[in-house]
Amino acid sequence: MKKIRAAVIGATGYAGAELVRLLYNHPNVEITALSSVSFEGKEIAEIYPSFKKKPLPTLTNAEEAVKCADVVFASLPHGLSEPLAEACLANNALLIDLGADFRLESEEDYEEWYKKPFDKPELHGKAVYSLPELFRDAVKDAEIVANPGCYPTAAALGLAPALKNGLIKTDSIIIDAKSGVSGAGRGLTQNTHYPETNETISAYKVGVHRHTPEIEQTLSHVAGKAVKVTFVPHLLPVNRGIEETIYVKLADGVDFDKVRALYEEFYKDEQFVRLERSGAAAEIRNVTRSNFCDISLHFDKRNNLLIICSCIDNMVKGAAGQAIQNMNIKFSLPEETGLETLPSGF
Amino acid sequence: MKKIRAAVIGATGYAGAELVRLLYNHPNVEITALSSVSFEGKEIAEIYPSFKKKPLPTLTNAEEAVKCADVVFASLPHGLSEPLAEACLANNALLIDLGADFRLESEEDYEEWYKKPFDKPELHGKAVYSLPELFRDAVKDAEIVANPGCYPTAAALGLAPALKNGLIKTDSIIIDAKSGVSGAGRGLTQNTHYPETNETISAYKVGVHRHTPEIEQTLSHVAGKAVKVTFVPHLLPVNRGIEETIYVKLADGVDFDKVRALYEEFYKDEQFVRLERSGAAAEIRNVTRSNFCDISLHFDKRNNLLIICSCIDNMVKGAAGQAIQNMNIKFSLPEETGLETLPSGF
Amino acid sequence: MKKIRAAVIGATGYAGAELVRLLYNHPNVEITALSSVSFEGKEIAEIYPSFKKKPLPTLTNAEEAVKCADVVFASLPHGLSEPLAEACLANNALLIDLGADFRLESEEDYEEWYKKPFDKPELHGKAVYSLPELFRDAVKDAEIVANPGCYPTAAALGLAPALKNGLIKTDSIIIDAKSGVSGAGRGLTQNTHYPETNETISAYKVGVHRHTPEIEQTLSHVAGKAVKVTFVPHLLPVNRGIEETIYVKLADGVDFDKVRALYEEFYKDEQFVRLERSGAAAEIRNVTRSNFCDISLHFDKRNNLLIICSCIDNMVKGAAGQAIQNMNIKFSLPEETGLETLPSGF
Amino acid sequence: MKKIRAAVIGATGYAGAELVRLLYNHPNVEITALSSVSFEGKEIAEIYPSFKKKPLPTLTNAEEAVKCADVVFASLPHGLSEPLAEACLANNALLIDLGADFRLESEEDYEEWYKKPFDKPELHGKAVYSLPELFRDAVKDAEIVANPGCYPTAAALGLAPALKNGLIKTDSIIIDAKSGVSGAGRGLTQNTHYPETNETISAYKVGVHRHTPEIEQTLSHVAGKAVKVTFVPHLLPVNRGIEETIYVKLADGVDFDKVRALYEEFYKDEQFVRLERSGAAAEIRNVTRSNFCDISLHFDKRNNLLIICSCIDNMVKGAAGQAIQNMNIKFSLPEETGLETLPSGF
């Protein structure tokens, strides 16, 4: 089989570099272009010495990169993916967008949270939001793939079986999320400066994080009705990984054993979703650097509350790995191709 | 003034060592005895080389230690403080117990959570649970001081102004807690082995942690009615500190500005409780190695939810520091004596 | 091609688990047996939940494991590999031993450092110490492969070009090594207990670490004369990786540019050894979870001292990865098969 | 006694904030002014929320700060302390300079390493370099105190007894140093960005770090002859602390027992220097947040090499604590005043 020619736009950000890392070993992919606004003309190994001694294309610009690709992965600040999508369409390349531009279906929601309208509304009809475990059929016809955000991925996989089966009340979902610092990106900020990030934890953007409407959109689709959530992210002093502890009320008459059985049924054929054995809690180290999502279920019988722990690597299942999973679906490859790496647990 | 003679029982555990560290510099205290079951006869600097070159008593046993003390601090596994309390009373020494034996007023609750009855029920009438900011008057007459647990301290200080003033609903309080690893003690376990603790986070004892009834007891006293909580602790890869993110529904007709004003009023004269400025989140690094409790208030207006972040150092305000604060009250010293150290923030 | 049947003895230790992780994705290998003394009869995913949902053999004992393997990887405490080697030979299986039993050629050295003689001296003639970049030809005829230790691998690769070419004096080599905590294994000890390992560093076994004679044996072979070293390891608060800063005197008349040129020449065809560009220092994050060894060269012209930084992942190039590299050589596969993963750098 | 009025210039850098933290609790000091170029007019608690609720002066500029102080502590980039010194002298204030401007006695050395001459050479005669354990008598007449650098402090205390007593050869001293990230300051850089600092270690400025001439100056004074060193610092993923492993050759005829005895003698009356018991290695966690320097002695008898581990907290004994120790000497206070805090060891 002829290799898929892949370009990475924004290759020197963390999600971009992770795409390079994973695509480099994908058996059906040839990396044909890498682009970077800040480092055009340099070798990526100058910015990521971990890639030394491996043949990778010299960093170029987005315009050039799009021309030599069957699939374009983009990891850009919001607002930049719409013009890129046009270029991809013009070049017959599939765009898999790791940014936020095509995730929200409602322009109203987008404006409320991102403070700008859709620049090219006509493109949004060609885009499909694809969290494969929930929407894999839809992505097959997409010309633009909106790859989910990291927090929404963990939240949606943690809640989907419960919402799909009407097991929980939908008016009081609370998501307490903790993310590794790579989620904040490669750019320098005081709160990611080592001495002020290490040996602490803190909530941020409490109740106002932009992943909130994306989470609600997905959960509403799964539930078949409007779902609202309270979402509070925390910056966790680890490099990678997201843990979300989710608090929901069981619907009347639902017992916990039934919940567990339906989760097992829901995910029994999924390669990348794993339920913890009873009593154990999902934890980040078991998924790090892999495309797995680990989920554990707990029951607070004193308050009739279902507690769900959902863990992913924010850079893999939460970004680059899921993007490759989407590419595999689009190119009719087994979903796990290039994503088989096991996590070591330490 | 004659110095207070202090003994530390269980001096080689982490809370015990922290008592030694703080008492050593307390201007009104002389450490007269340290005891340890495992290391009797050794110098504490052999176990804690950080104490080298400082004159500290050789480790002895509890029986001997009690004899030469005006105040006895005990940090023992549950079940061992009741016999110790008798010895203290017999020796006219005040017992400040950092363990769980005297915290729960209800023997029924104690049996349910600790799987044993009170061994010496007659002693419990002499004991007072003392979280000073809430109950400082009560402690003055106590013969035994039950020092609060770490998680309950952060929870109670975070919630007290709201409960006291009827600002929140009491039937749906959720406490998502994250604790540094020192909270698990000095004993070796697989889940505190460095390579399996570092670069991860995980929930544990979900909904069944023994601090739950203690939290509920305190909150019920403050609220003046029975309060139940969902409490989920997580093991956080830092040495010290607790962060609790607490989710509560505002009572009907209460607005967030009022909440903030009443918190400020409630804590305006407290030395050790600090409210974050609006917009900032309380975080562990600002309280580490100090007796402060930092609290931030946030409002999710989309769901009418009050979100409270409450941070302490689990070893200081959550254990040794608060015990010394209680001693200061009992001996009519200013509460902050020996606890003036500022945290550095890094 | 028929798959190589591989067994891992000691599969639940860290090196064993790392072998499982890497062998599972090796395209030419089928894992046919895993053994564990402590967990016989259990599934490895109970000890390493990171392996959940992947088909792996139930843990058995070493005797059974050897029977169904073409190659046996063993990661055992010293003294246990000699009897295992006999069983492997009897079953026509190649033993790749990650332990210390077959590393030292001199029984005298072995007795001095390990306080016991060779139990089965006749086996030692069938064993070959194989650090592929230096001795890959020798391994082809081995019946037993002695896989190098982690510290010796980084030291030997860092020093080989200089010693081979007579660029340095051999009487004053100093190796200051720092290792991640996984190097201390999965067993519990006070000095790997999280709160006492985190936020510190300390030297250990100063001048008496058992890797010292192994380092000297390899360096002496490369130099063609006896070489002695001062070796001081430190426990570094990271999960993985070794950094060694090596101090050596340049031989008379040798200049630094020549050194650099000869290092480049020496390693130009090696897949797994990479020289840093001038001015940059090798660092752990660029090799983590990969089989790379990164080396940087520095010159202290004020003291005419060559300073070499050499970094590996202790669990991969320092253990499981190098063992697989040796297997690849023995089975005439490309050396990098199954070891292509790129490190991400964060 | 009237309190000493103290000003901190550069109060919002890490060393400045550490001065504030320690001076705030010094029983003989009143903090009368804090200055900051970046944050003039703000409260320091806005930058360091750890200082909330404590009365501290509003940030002002250096000119104003100097006017209301008996002692001025300055932590400034090099080149800025000379003009400040003039202002201090004019205001009859003692300057304790934590920067580099007055540390090197030789202008030639200063020019070589800092690429600029002394701007005000006449001031340098009024300055005394004061590492109290070695030079405490000299500081009494100083008008300007040059406070030692962090690396030089650990190196000098680790080597002084050996050099003073002629126990070691002076032509081959190697110092392998590891520093916590606070040593790099509060300013943002890529190599202190959490995801690229965590889980790694790397050497930097190999052989060219500006602390080299300062180390050599001090060692030469102690030895009574010119001493040269090879100095290689590493960035260690911890917040605080320096560990230096120092390699030196014993002088002919010197045995290790004698070395140990002379170290004990040398430091027997020092409050802040502690020798580890035989066999144990000095480590960072035992000195963190204290003014201690812990030293351990090791002997590689195979190579007749003395190995010294020397640990300090870079921010305390390596900066703010030592500056206060110097102030105490100048103001005839006991040296440990305000520096009595014990480290906890975890």
Side-chain angles (χ1 to χ4, degrees):
Chain A
M1 173 183 160
K2 213 180 132 199
K3 293 214 170 180
I4 303 163
R5 297 172 308 146
V8 179
I9 310 300
T12 56
Y14 285 159
E18 195 73 356
L19 282 162
V20 173
R21 177 176 82 86
L22 293 170
L23 291 170
Y24 183 80
N25 288 133
H26 193 295
N28 305 97
V29 168
E30 178 191 12
I31 299 176
T32 48
L34 303 175
S35 87
S36 162
V37 169
S38 310
F39 300 103
E40 187 179 345
K42 298 208 173 200
E43 301 304 319
I44 193 167
E46 292 178 59
I47 297 95
Y48 289 89
S50 58
F51 296 158
K52 280 191 309 281
K53 219 172 182 168
K54 293 290 175 183
L56 287 165
T58 301
L59 292 163
T60 183
N61 55 51
E63 196 181 347
E64 291 303 314
V66 167
K67 289 182 192 163
C68 54
D70 302 310
V71 56
V72 171
F73 295 91
S75 180
L76 297 169
H78 77 270
L80 300 180
S81 290
E82 285 177 301
L84 181 69
E86 273 194 328
C88 289
L89 290 171
N91 282 276
N92 255 329
L94 172 71
L95 172 64
I96 299 181
D97 185 25
L98 284 77
D101 286 10
F102 294 104
R103 288 183 191 152
L104 296 186
E105 294 158 9
S106 151
E107 185 166 1
E108 193 183 345
D109 282 352
Y110 188 79
E111 279 206 64
E112 180 186 339
W113 291 85
Y114 290 89
K115 308 302 172 201
K116 65 181 280 300
F118 288 166
D119 285 334
K120 299 175 192 294
E122 69 284 4
L123 290 176
H124 288 257
K126 302 172 189 291
V128 169
Y129 180 86
S130 178
L131 205 168
E133 286 77 6
L134 305 180
F135 310 117
R136 63 166 61 84
D137 292 337
V139 75
K140 287 178 184 159
D141 302 319
E143 293 175 71
I144 299 167
V145 175
N147 204 58
C150 50
Y151 288 124
T153 295
L157 293 176
L159 284 163
L163 287 170
K164 192 82 180 181
N165 292 288
L167 305 176
I168 57 173
K169 295 185 179 167
T170 56
D171 62 348
S172 56
I173 297 175
I174 290 172
I175 303 170
D176 187 286
K178 302 92 179 170
S179 171
V181 187
S182 59
R186 190 172 180 269
L188 307 181
T189 61
Q190 201 68 45
N191 71 333
T192 54
H193 187 49
Y194 187 88
E196 302 181 28
T197 310
N198 187 35
E199 296 294 290
T200 193
I201 191 171
S202 63
Y204 68 99
K205 295 184 186 165
V206 179
V208 299
H209 192 285
R210 284 169 169 169
H211 280 178
T212 307
E214 184 187 339
I215 294 171
E216 293 181 345
Q217 173 182 287
T218 300
L219 299 185
S220 298
H221 280 312
V222 173
K225 61 176 170 173
V227 174
K228 275 183 128 181
V229 302
T230 292
F231 172 63
V232 178
H234 299 72
L235 192 65
L236 178 72
V238 306
N239 272 12
R240 282 163 174 259
I242 282 174
E243 195 270 355
E244 299 185 1
T245 301
I246 306 173
Y247 302 85
V248 290
K249 287 192 185 137
L250 284 183
D252 298 333
V254 173
D255 74 37
F256 181 58
D257 287 345
K258 182 177 171 193
V259 173
R260 188 161 178 95
L262 285 169
Y263 268 74
E264 279 169 5
E265 174 63 21
F266 195 92
Y267 286 129
K268 71 176 192 301
D269 295 327
E270 291 296 340
Q271 305 265 359
F272 291 126
V273 183
R274 306 186 297 192
L275 291 184
E276 282 290 343
R277 61 187 164 79
S278 179
E283 66 171 301
I284 284 176
R285 67 185 176 95
N286 292 327
V287 301
T288 310
R289 288 177 179 80
S290 81
N291 204 50
F292 288 116
C293 176
D294 276 10
I295 295 170
S296 63
L297 302 172
H298 312 268
F299 183 50
D300 176 9
K301 67 178 171 196
R302 301 168 67 256
N303 296 290
N304 203 38
L305 218 60
L306 173 65
I307 300 165
I308 304 159
C309 297
S310 178
C311 290
I312 60 168
D313 185 313
N314 57 315
M315 285 289 137
V316 187
K317 185 63 179 169
Q322 186 147 268
I324 291 170
Q325 186 180 358
N326 275 319
M327 177 196 75
N328 289 339
I329 294 171
K330 288 290 295 180
F331 287 83
S332 302
L333 296 167
E335 274 186 40
E336 70 273 28
T337 313
L339 299 169
E340 301 92 345
T341 308
L342 285 186
S344 56
F346 64 93
Chain B
M1 173 182 161
K2 213 181 134 202
K3 292 214 172 183
I4 303 163
R5 298 172 307 145
V8 179
I9 311 300
T12 57
Y14 285 160
E18 195 72 355
L19 281 161
V20 174
R21 176 176 83 86
L22 293 170
L23 291 169
Y24 184 81
N25 287 132
H26 193 295
N28 304 97
V29 168
E30 179 191 11
I31 299 176
T32 49
L34 302 176
S35 88
S36 162
V37 170
S38 311
F39 301 103
E40 186 179 344
K42 299 208 172 201
E43 301 303 320
I44 193 168
E46 294 177 57
I47 297 95
Y48 290 89
S50 57
F51 296 158
K52 280 191 309 281
K53 217 172 183 167
K54 292 291 175 183
L56 287 165
T58 300
L59 292 163
T60 183
N61 55 51
E63 197 182 348
E64 291 302 313
V66 167
K67 290 182 192 161
C68 54
D70 303 311
V71 58
V72 172
F73 295 91
S75 179
L76 297 170
H78 76 269
L80 300 180
S81 290
E82 285 177 302
L84 181 70
E86 272 194 330
C88 289
L89 290 171
N91 282 277
N92 255 331
L94 171 71
L95 172 63
I96 300 181
D97 185 24
L98 285 74
D101 285 11
F102 295 104
R103 287 182 191 153
L104 296 187
E105 295 158 8
S106 152
E107 186 168 1
E108 192 183 346
D109 282 352
Y110 188 78
E111 279 206 66
E112 180 187 339
W113 291 85
Y114 290 89
K115 309 302 172 200
K116 65 179 284 296
F118 288 166
D119 286 333
K120 300 176 190 293
E122 70 283 5
L123 290 175
H124 289 256
K126 301 173 188 291
V128 170
Y129 180 87
S130 178
L131 205 168
E133 285 77 6
L134 306 181
F135 311 117
R136 63 166 60 86
D137 292 337
V139 76
K140 287 178 182 158
D141 303 318
E143 294 176 71
I144 299 166
V145 175
N147 205 59
C150 50
Y151 288 124
T153 296
L157 293 175
L159 283 162
L163 286 170
K164 192 84 180 179
N165 291 288
L167 305 175
I168 57 173
K169 295 185 179 168
T170 57
D171 62 349
S172 56
I173 298 175
I174 291 172
I175 303 170
D176 187 286
K178 302 93 180 170
S179 171
V181 187
S182 59
R186 191 173 179 269
L188 307 181
T189 60
Q190 200 68 45
N191 72 332
T192 55
H193 186 51
Y194 187 88
E196 303 182 27
T197 310
N198 187 34
E199 295 294 290
T200 192
I201 192 170
S202 63
Y204 69 99
K205 296 185 186 165
V206 178
V208 299
H209 192 285
R210 283 169 169 169
H211 281 177
T212 308
E214 184 186 339
I215 294 170
E216 293 180 344
Q217 172 181 285
T218 301
L219 298 186
S220 299
H221 280 312
V222 173
K225 61 176 169 174
V227 174
K228 276 183 127 181
V229 302
T230 293
F231 172 62
V232 178
H234 300 72
L235 191 65
L236 178 71
V238 307
N239 271 12
R240 284 162 172 259
I242 281 175
E243 194 269 357
E244 299 185 1
T245 301
I246 306 173
Y247 302 85
V248 290
K249 287 192 186 137
L250 284 183
D252 298 333
V254 172
D255 73 38
F256 182 58
D257 287 345
K258 182 177 172 193
V259 173
R260 189 162 178 97
L262 285 169
Y263 268 73
E264 278 170 3
E265 174 64 21
F266 195 93
Y267 286 130
K268 71 176 192 302
D269 296 327
E270 291 296 339
Q271 304 264 358
F272 292 126
V273 183
R274 307 186 296 192
L275 292 184
E276 282 290 343
R277 63 188 161 79
S278 178
E283 66 171 300
I284 284 176
R285 68 186 176 94
N286 291 329
V287 301
T288 309
R289 288 177 179 78
S290 84
N291 204 49
F292 287 116
C293 175
D294 277 10
I295 294 169
S296 62
L297 301 171
H298 312 267
F299 183 49
D300 175 10
K301 68 178 171 196
R302 300 169 68 253
N303 296 290
N304 203 37
L305 219 60
L306 173 64
I307 300 165
I308 304 159
C309 298
S310 178
C311 291
I312 60 169
D313 185 312
N314 56 315
M315 285 289 137
V316 187
K317 184 63 179 168
Q322 187 148 268
I324 291 169
Q325 187 181 357
N326 276 318
M327 178 196 76
N328 289 339
I329 295 171
K330 287 290 297 181
F331 288 82
S332 302
L333 296 167
E335 275 185 42
E336 69 273 29
T337 312
L339 299 169
E340 301 92 344
T341 308
L342 285 186
S344 56
F346 65 93
Chain C
M1 175 182 160
K2 213 180 130 197
K3 292 214 171 181
I4 303 164
R5 297 172 308 146
V8 178
I9 311 300
T12 56
Y14 285 158
E18 194 73 356
L19 282 162
V20 172
R21 177 176 80 88
L22 293 170
L23 290 170
Y24 183 81
N25 287 132
H26 193 295
N28 305 98
V29 167
E30 177 191 11
I31 299 176
T32 48
L34 304 175
S35 88
S36 163
V37 169
S38 311
F39 300 104
E40 188 180 343
K42 298 206 173 203
E43 300 304 318
I44 193 166
E46 293 178 58
I47 298 95
Y48 290 89
S50 58
F51 296 159
K52 278 191 309 282
K53 218 171 182 170
K54 292 290 176 182
L56 286 165
T58 300
L59 291 163
T60 183
N61 56 50
E63 198 182 345
E64 291 303 313
V66 167
K67 288 182 192 163
C68 54
D70 302 311
V71 57
V72 171
F73 294 91
S75 178
L76 297 169
H78 78 269
L80 300 181
S81 290
E82 285 177 300
L84 181 69
E86 271 193 330
C88 289
L89 290 171
N91 282 278
N92 256 330
L94 172 71
L95 173 63
I96 300 182
D97 185 24
L98 284 75
D101 285 11
F102 295 105
R103 287 182 191 153
L104 296 186
E105 295 158 7
S106 153
E107 186 168 359
E108 194 182 344
D109 282 353
Y110 187 79
E111 280 206 62
E112 182 186 338
W113 291 85
Y114 290 89
K115 309 303 173 200
K116 65 179 284 295
F118 288 165
D119 286 332
K120 301 176 189 294
E122 69 284 4
L123 290 176
H124 289 256
K126 301 173 190 290
V128 169
Y129 180 88
S130 177
L131 204 168
E133 285 77 6
L134 305 180
F135 311 118
R136 64 166 60 85
D137 292 338
V139 77
K140 287 178 183 158
D141 304 319
E143 294 175 71
I144 299 167
V145 174
N147 203 59
C150 52
Y151 288 125
T153 295
L157 293 176
L159 283 163
L163 287 169
K164 192 82 180 183
N165 291 289
L167 304 176
I168 57 172
K169 295 184 180 169
T170 57
D171 63 349
S172 55
I173 297 173
I174 290 171
I175 302 170
D176 188 285
K178 301 94 179 168
S179 172
V181 187
S182 59
R186 189 171 180 273
L188 307 181
T189 61
Q190 200 68 45
N191 71 332
T192 54
H193 187 50
Y194 187 89
E196 303 183 27
T197 311
N198 187 35
E199 294 294 293
T200 191
I201 191 170
S202 63
Y204 68 98
K205 295 186 186 164
V206 178
V208 298
H209 192 285
R210 283 168 168 170
H211 280 177
T212 308
E214 184 187 339
I215 294 171
E216 293 181 343
Q217 172 181 287
T218 301
L219 299 186
S220 298
H221 281 312
V222 173
K225 62 176 170 176
V227 174
K228 276 183 129 180
V229 302
T230 293
F231 172 64
V232 177
H234 300 72
L235 192 64
L236 179 71
V238 305
N239 272 12
R240 284 161 172 260
I242 282 176
E243 195 269 357
E244 299 185 1
T245 302
I246 306 172
Y247 302 85
V248 290
K249 286 190 187 142
L250 284 183
D252 298 334
V254 173
D255 73 37
F256 181 58
D257 288 345
K258 184 178 171 191
V259 172
R260 189 162 176 97
L262 285 168
Y263 267 73
E264 279 170 2
E265 174 65 21
F266 195 92
Y267 286 129
K268 72 174 190 300
D269 296 327
E270 291 296 341
Q271 306 263 359
F272 291 125
V273 184
R274 307 186 295 192
L275 291 183
E276 282 290 342
R277 64 190 162 76
S278 179
E283 65 171 301
I284 283 176
R285 69 185 174 96
N286 292 327
V287 301
T288 309
R289 289 179 178 76
S290 83
N291 204 48
F292 288 116
C293 176
D294 276 10
I295 295 169
S296 63
L297 302 171
H298 312 267
F299 183 49
D300 175 9
K301 69 180 173 195
R302 300 168 67 254
N303 296 290
N304 203 37
L305 218 61
L306 173 65
I307 300 165
I308 304 159
C309 297
S310 178
C311 291
I312 59 169
D313 185 312
N314 57 315
M315 285 289 136
V316 187
K317 185 63 180 169
Q322 187 149 266
I324 291 169
Q325 187 182 359
N326 274 319
M327 179 196 75
N328 289 340
I329 295 171
K330 287 290 296 182
F331 288 82
S332 302
L333 295 167
E335 274 186 41
E336 69 273 31
T337 312
L339 299 169
E340 301 93 343
T341 307
L342 286 186
S344 57
F346 65 94
Chain D
M1 174 185 162
K2 212 180 131 199
K3 293 215 171 182
I4 304 163
R5 298 172 306 147
V8 179
I9 311 299
T12 56
Y14 285 159
E18 194 73 355
L19 282 161
V20 173
R21 176 176 81 87
L22 293 170
L23 290 169
Y24 184 80
N25 288 130
H26 193 296
N28 304 97
V29 167
E30 177 191 12
I31 299 176
T32 49
L34 303 175
S35 88
S36 162
V37 170
S38 311
F39 300 103
E40 188 178 343
K42 299 205 171 202
E43 300 304 317
I44 193 167
E46 294 178 57
I47 298 94
Y48 289 89
S50 58
F51 296 159
K52 278 189 309 283
K53 218 169 182 172
K54 293 290 175 183
L56 287 166
T58 300
L59 292 163
T60 181
N61 57 50
E63 198 182 345
E64 291 303 314
V66 167
K67 289 180 190 163
C68 54
D70 302 311
V71 58
V72 172
F73 295 91
S75 180
L76 296 169
H78 77 269
L80 301 180
S81 291
E82 286 178 300
L84 180 69
E86 272 193 328
C88 289
L89 290 171
N91 282 278
N92 257 329
L94 172 71
L95 172 64
I96 300 183
D97 184 24
L98 284 75
D101 285 11
F102 294 104
R103 288 182 190 153
L104 296 186
E105 295 159 6
S106 152
E107 186 168 0
E108 193 182 345
D109 282 352
Y110 188 79
E111 280 206 63
E112 181 187 339
W113 290 86
Y114 290 89
K115 310 302 174 202
K116 64 179 283 296
F118 288 166
D119 285 334
K120 301 177 190 292
E122 70 284 4
L123 291 175
H124 289 257
K126 302 173 189 291
V128 169
Y129 180 87
S130 178
L131 204 169
E133 286 76 5
L134 306 180
F135 310 117
R136 65 166 59 85
D137 291 339
V139 76
K140 287 177 183 159
D141 302 320
E143 295 175 71
I144 299 166
V145 175
N147 204 59
C150 50
Y151 289 124
T153 295
L157 293 175
L159 283 162
L163 287 169
K164 193 81 180 183
N165 290 288
L167 305 176
I168 56 172
K169 295 184 179 169
T170 56
D171 62 349
S172 55
I173 297 174
I174 290 171
I175 302 169
D176 187 285
K178 301 92 180 169
S179 172
V181 186
S182 59
R186 189 172 180 271
L188 307 182
T189 60
Q190 200 68 43
N191 71 331
T192 55
H193 186 50
Y194 188 89
E196 303 183 26
T197 311
N198 187 34
E199 295 294 294
T200 192
I201 191 171
S202 62
Y204 68 98
K205 294 185 187 166
V206 179
V208 298
H209 192 285
R210 282 168 169 170
H211 281 177
T212 307
E214 184 186 340
I215 294 171
E216 293 181 343
Q217 173 182 287
T218 300
L219 299 185
S220 298
H221 280 312
V222 174
K225 61 177 170 173
V227 174
K228 275 183 130 178
V229 303
T230 294
F231 172 63
V232 177
H234 300 72
L235 192 65
L236 178 70
V238 305
N239 271 13
R240 281 161 174 260
I242 282 175
E243 195 269 358
E244 299 186 1
T245 302
I246 306 173
Y247 301 86
V248 290
K249 287 191 186 140
L250 284 183
D252 299 332
V254 172
D255 72 39
F256 181 58
D257 288 345
K258 184 177 169 191
V259 172
R260 188 161 178 97
L262 286 169
Y263 267 74
E264 279 170 2
E265 174 63 23
F266 195 93
Y267 286 128
K268 71 175 192 300
D269 296 328
E270 291 296 341
Q271 305 263 359
F272 292 126
V273 184
R274 307 187 295 192
L275 291 184
E276 282 291 341
R277 63 189 162 78
S278 179
E283 65 173 300
I284 283 175
R285 68 185 175 96
N286 292 327
V287 301
T288 309
R289 288 179 179 77
S290 83
N291 204 49
F292 288 117
C293 176
D294 276 10
I295 295 170
S296 63
L297 301 171
H298 312 267
F299 183 48
D300 175 10
K301 69 179 172 196
R302 302 167 68 254
N303 296 291
N304 203 38
L305 219 61
L306 173 65
I307 300 164
I308 304 158
C309 297
S310 178
C311 291
I312 60 169
D313 184 312
N314 56 315
M315 284 290 136
V316 187
K317 185 63 179 169
Q322 187 148 267
I324 291 169
Q325 188 182 358
N326 275 319
M327 178 197 75
N328 289 339
I329 296 171
K330 286 290 296 182
F331 287 82
S332 303
L333 296 166
E335 273 185 42
E336 70 273 29
T337 313
L339 299 169
E340 302 92 345
T341 307
L342 285 186
S344 57
F346 64 94

